[in-house]
Amino acid sequence: MDFILMFTPNENAFTIATNHDQSLRLYAFGKNVFVVTPGNFPLVVKMISELLQKDKIGIEAADMAKQALEFYNKVCGFLESFEGEWWYWQRFQANTKKVWLE
């Protein structure tokens, strides 16, 4: 959900307005407008910073998971390419043992 931050530099005027009309904050919140005053400005800035940091971590984790899956698929493909060769290797070893034991 997206919000718009509306900064009101005069906190006293906003307090008087909300005392006059109690539903003012709820109306703004219903329209996705968050009223920021000098009193809660540092808190809002810190909250936005934390949210952006967590979003960045989430994006990086998703990227790491994608790279791990690509690496896993490459390793599986590499090992599958030797699947047929393993039988030949086992046969070679068995024949080599026969030659040395005779």
Side-chain angles (χ1 to χ4, degrees), residues 4 8 10 17-18 23 32-33 49 57-58 62 64 66 73 87 89 91 98:
I4 295 180
T8 56
N10 190 344
T18 56
S23 65
N32 294 339
V33 175
S49 172
I57 290 171
M64 287 172 52
K66 181 181 172 186
N73 289 335
W87 181 81
W89 175 250
R91 190 171 166 194
K98 285 181 187 176

Side-chain angles (χ1 to χ4, degrees), residues 13 27-28 35 37 42 47 57 66-67 70 82 97 99:
Y27 178 77
V35 180
T37 61
M47 182 177 63
I57 290 171
K66 181 181 172 186
Q67 289 178 1
E70 289 174 2
F82 284 105
K97 287 181 183 177
V99 169

Side-chain angles (χ1 to χ4, degrees), residues 65-82:
K66 181 181 172 186
Q67 289 178 1
L69 179 62
E70 289 174 2
F71 178 71
Y72 173 78
N73 289 335
K74 286 182 181 181
V75 168
C76 286
F78 177 74
L79 293 176
E80 286 173 359
S81 70
F82 284 105

